[in-house]
Amino acid sequence: MGWFWADGPQPKVQSQVLSHHALTQDGTRSPPPGCPMHKHQKSADAMISPSGGCPVKHTPPTSEQPSGCPVPHGASAYSKEQRKEWKEECRQKFRKDDDSRSALSRLNPLNYMFRDLSQAPAPNQTQALPTSREPSTIPRGDGDGNWEYPSPQQMYNALLRKGYTDTDVTAVESMVSVHNFLNEGAWAEIMDWEKRFAGGLYKGWRVCSHGEQNFDTMVKKYGYEKEVDSLSPSLVRFQGRPKDMTPKAAMFQVMGWIYPGAFGTEPPFDRHDWYVSRDTNGQKKEVRYVIDYYSGPPEPTGEPVFYLDVRPAMTPSGAAERAVRWGCDVWWRAIGGDTRELEKLKKSNS
């Protein structure tokens, strides 16, 4: 899940062909300027005859040529077929060097996906897939607009490249729709956290003090409306980690084994780490959020059901935010906070 694409145009590498030795007008080669035998050219000319030349052979034998491009760039008399063959050898050598790089170095560091997933149909693809991409509502960390979701064709190519060769091509468009819907829901949950704690832990405690359902009331009470409305967090990068179970998910699995009636649930089918840029009092701060994706029993109509568990990572600040939000909500409901407030209102009106 969460396969946004962040690939911009790749920089073009310019190559410059350097001839080994320059040609003079009479067809002979002049030695390079760094040759130690020609540093004192005037005195050398006085010591040798005009027909003589430098006794040092500047062009090494073919067997001593350093490894590199097999094309002799300075020779223009070769046939077109020979030059074409040499260029092909160069390209094959470049591909070999490129393939020898580690798989991690070929991934986009913003989303840990392959950089070169094309929109071209895959081999033996039985059905054409759309290539249009839908923009998300999630701002990019570099300020360059919003993230874009992959097209169905890119999603299919990515699944094949990851080894899911049994993917049903007819279901890819529905998969993309679910994928986009879940990521929009994850961002909405992150925004709820940012609205509470982007201004700091103390302000977060004040707006959380009366439970989840009274958040808007507390924002108005303390005059935080403008601050909350002007929030502009952005997603810097993200990483899918489906094989790394979070401690919280692991704890639920253990509790489900002990108390299956209360905690029995399937493990999450995916996990993401999202890195969000938060602006706190004019200072940028990167906050890591952890997202567990759960599937639930389908609706009577057959539609799938999903649950998202979105929370800050268990860092010192993230743990404090989680404790404040969860603790305040539990305490407010435990003491009957809404009932108490209603009774106070009745007494003040009577």
Side-chain angles (χ1 to χ4, degrees), residues 172-183:
V172 173
E173 292 188 60
S174 298
M175 293 168 60
V176 171
S177 298
V178 173
H179 159 271
N180 299 354
F181 172 77
L182 291 180
N183 283 305

Side-chain angles (χ1 to χ4, degrees), residues 53 62 101 148 150 154 199 217 338:
T62 305
R101 295 184 300 165
E148 285 187 329
Q154 284 181 314
T217 302
D338 289 336

Side-chain angles (χ1 to χ4, degrees), residues 58-235:
H58 298 283
T59 305
T62 305
S63 60
E64 299 177 3
Q65 288 282 1
S67 61
C69 178
V71 180
H73 299 284
S76 59
Y78 293 104
S79 64
K80 183 177 180 181
E81 290 74 14
Q82 287 177 311
R83 293 196 298 270
K84 184 177 180 181
E85 181 180 353
W86 288 328
K87 290 179 181 179
E88 182 61 28
E89 291 180 9
C90 285
R91 283 192 289 267
Q92 290 178 359
K93 183 178 184 299
F94 175 79
R95 293 194 194 102
K96 183 178 179 181
D97 293 341
D98 185 66
D99 293 340
S100 64
R101 295 184 300 165
S102 65
L104 186 60
S105 66
R106 295 199 296 268
L107 300 180
N108 187 331
L110 297 181
N111 56 9
Y112 291 89
M113 292 298 298
F114 294 102
R115 299 175 181 269
D116 55 348
L117 285 177
S118 68
Q119 298 274 25
N124 302 321
Q125 182 175 324
T126 58
Q127 176 178 318
L129 292 172
T131 58
S132 59
R133 298 171 60 180
E134 179 182 344
S136 73
T137 62
I138 307 173
R140 291 169 55 104
D142 56 8
D144 188 16
N146 292 354
W147 289 82
E148 285 187 329
Y149 293 120
S151 68
Q153 184 63 64
Q154 284 181 314
M155 175 73 81
Y156 185 63
N157 291 341
L159 291 171
L160 294 180
R161 194 160 182 173
K162 286 192 170 187
Y164 300 102
T165 56
D166 58 344
T167 302
D168 184 5
V169 67
T170 62
V172 173
E173 292 188 60
S174 298
M175 293 168 60
V176 171
S177 298
V178 173
H179 159 271
N180 299 354
F181 172 77
L182 291 180
N183 283 305
E184 291 295 325
W187 183 249
E189 293 286 336
I190 289 175
M191 287 297 298
D192 284 344
W193 283 97
E194 291 296 304
K195 290 177 181 179
R196 286 165 171 80
F197 296 103
L201 199 61
Y202 175 68
K203 291 182 178 179
W205 171 78
R206 297 183 82 179
V207 298
C208 291
S209 60
H210 282 51
E212 289 288 301
Q213 69 275 15
N214 296 313
F215 167 74
D216 293 332
T217 302
M218 303 308 293
V219 168
K220 293 179 181 179
K221 176 180 178 180
Y222 292 109
Y224 295 155
E225 298 99 328
K226 184 177 180 180
E227 183 176 336
V228 170
D229 294 338
S230 62
L231 284 177
S232 57
S234 58
L235 179 61

